[in-house]
Amino acid sequence: DGRQVIPADYVAASTRPHSTPPPDSIGGESYGYQWWVTSQAGHPSFLAHGRDGQLIQVVPDLDLVVVITSDASQNRNDARLLVGQAIIPAVTD
């Protein structure tokens, strides 16, 4: 009904860097509150990713939210590549 459920200041805080993960981490450059904080194809973004390629990625400056689910038996871990190499170029060209 047009009502914001999660306070805007919490959303802003949760998607800002609060810690730096180890260099071999597959999430992003920084970590917020349950979100990886990163960039994709030159656009600031934040994401959550799960096992075998499950992904939620938000690119605020493009008003873009990408949700990718995959079959665990296919062992796909390239969802972020799909976002950066195919989806973002498709919405910016």
Side-chain angles (χ1 to χ4, degrees):
D1 293 332
R3 212 171 46 116
Q4 182 151 350
V5 178
I6 301 171
D9 59 338
Y10 178 81
V11 173
S14 71
T15 58
R16 278 197 313 264
H18 292 283
S19 66
T20 303
D24 60 346
S25 172
I26 63 170
E29 291 86 31
S30 301
Y31 199 66
Y33 303 155
Q34 303 300 313
W35 291 103
W36 290 100
V37 181
T38 188
S39 64
Q40 191 68 275
H43 299 273
S45 71
F46 53 94
L47 63 96
H49 68 86
R51 185 169 183 226
D52 298 317
Q54 311 301 321
L55 177 83
I56 302 168
Q57 187 158 7
V58 180
V59 186
D61 69 333
L62 297 177
D63 290 328
L64 178 67
V65 177
V66 178
V67 178
I68 297 174
T69 62
S70 61
D71 182 345
S73 67
Q74 293 184 9
N75 197 24
R76 300 294 302 256
N77 290 305
D78 56 357
R80 287 187 66 196
L81 291 176
L82 180 64
V83 174
Q85 295 175 0
I87 296 173
I88 288 177
V91 300
T92 57
D93 286 343

